[in-house]
Amino acid sequence: MSERHQEGLAHLLYGINIGGGFVALTGEVGTGKTTLCHCLLQQLPINIDIALILNPKLNALELLATLCDELGIPHYGIPQTSKNLIDAINQYLLSAYSNGRRTVLLIDEAQNLSLEVLEQIRLLTNLETSKAKLLQIILVGQPELQQLLCRQDLRQLNQRITARYHLLPLSFEETRAYIQHRLTVCHGNPRLFKERAIRKIYRFSSGIPRVINILCDRALLGAYANNVRSISAEIIDGAARETLGLGNTRRWLITVAATILFGGIAVGGYFVSRNPSSIDQAGQIFSSPSLQPHAIADIRQTPSKPEPPQKAESTKTEAKSFTVWLQDPTRSINTAMLAALKVWQKPLPPDGVIDCDYIAGLDLHCLSDNASWKDLLALDRPAILQFSLPPEQKRHALLIGVDKGHAIFRFDDDLRFPIAEVLNLWDGHFLLFWRSPRQDMTLIAPQKLSSNVAWLREQLNAQDETPASSNPSLFFDETLKARVIGFQHRHHLLEDGIVGAQTLIHLDNQTGATTSPHLEMTE
């Protein structure tokens, strides 16, 4: 296993060893999730019984029946109702627990689970003794599982996940080591694939092990058929055409590009003849990188040097591709934090290097967390989003607003991208700056005595339209904690009764938060 797979296995074993709740393993198609599950089965402690569900296209009743089948629980002699099946499962789990055994349910392809089934699975974790949960559940699925768990109506399940890991594709170095390792295990020459060939494999596969296997297997067959003793980049090109269907796609792209090119020349000729002053503009359009796709290698252009493009009148420019825009390594966390500081109208550090210690010196605080898109927008602050690009690259961009299905990012000018493209690459992590409603107030905890507690009571009274007290209590008692939990519930926050950063931001928003910048929100 690669280092990533070892980390993923460690997360699964950790979740099983601590017991209770859920463990989530996600990864792109072909990254080795199922293989990792097989490794897990080989390393389970001897006191673990496991039920493995490979086909999640079940309704709630079928799921319970399948769980019974996997654990050997007799159930065919009783009416097939949810209550009867859950009672039988509960009796089995209690018996297993009393005998020193623990039970694990592992569901593969969990992104295909329906909301009904997910809710039933969550309820299964309520089976417990006074000391321990009786059932440990592992969900394995594609990245869509992460998005599914971020749904507001599944927040109870999401909060019960005790360990989660996202399996990324291999890096280039790991791809090379992977190929050489497999050759070594079969007593072959680990240098059989030339360096350029490995680079081609990595480019075609993006580090996904399943695609690496397919390309290498086909390349070996091609080399054998042609009596070649080493694998070159040209052989990999042929293998990719045969296995990944790149040949026809490439020819189609060239045909389409040629049609666009010659059609554009014809239209452009007519346009220029009617408006000679637009020649420079036409030159700029045809030299745009967006009309030179990387896949069309046979088209060569030598554009003349156009005049520098004029800055658009609108500061909200819609770029062609969010993915291409993110490739620029200048989309760094430091650059994004500097942009956020400008939005807050705060002085920039003299050396241009910024961190949260510097932010603290400006009477601001950093909040770094994971959230769904909806919950992020509810915070209503400019936020730095983190994006994960292969291989192991992180990019950051400052979100300053949302406009008609587009996210607006601040980077020199304001750029607009479709929200769907943004969510496809956002890994859920964000960083934002926030100002406390009261100086040096970042946390208000139950059972504490503080003037901040009196402020909290005033805020909640205003929310509930409760008459203000002339002498509010300074003690954070259980009644106040229950009111805080009610506020957190209404705003879809973690319902822990602790007034932390996100709860404080939402409380501040109720009064307008006039000293803080907000997201630009339009319909």
Side-chain angles (χ1 to χ4, degrees), residues 7 16 35 75 78 89 94 135 146 148 151 163 184 328 345 363 374 401 405 413 442 453 483 486:
E7 289 179 359
I16 289 176
T35 302
H75 64 94
I78 60 175
I89 292 170
L94 286 170
L135 184 64
Q146 292 177 319
L148 184 62
R151 287 175 59 105
T184 301
D328 190 335
Q345 297 182 355
D363 194 29
K374 180 179 178 181
D413 288 336
T442 57
V453 176
R483 295 182 67 190

Side-chain angles (χ1 to χ4, degrees), residues 204-221:
F204 285 126
S205 69
S206 297
I208 296 177
R210 180 182 297 165
V211 183
I212 295 173
N213 293 343
I214 292 172
L215 287 171
C216 289
D217 182 76
R218 188 65 188 181
L220 288 169
L221 180 61

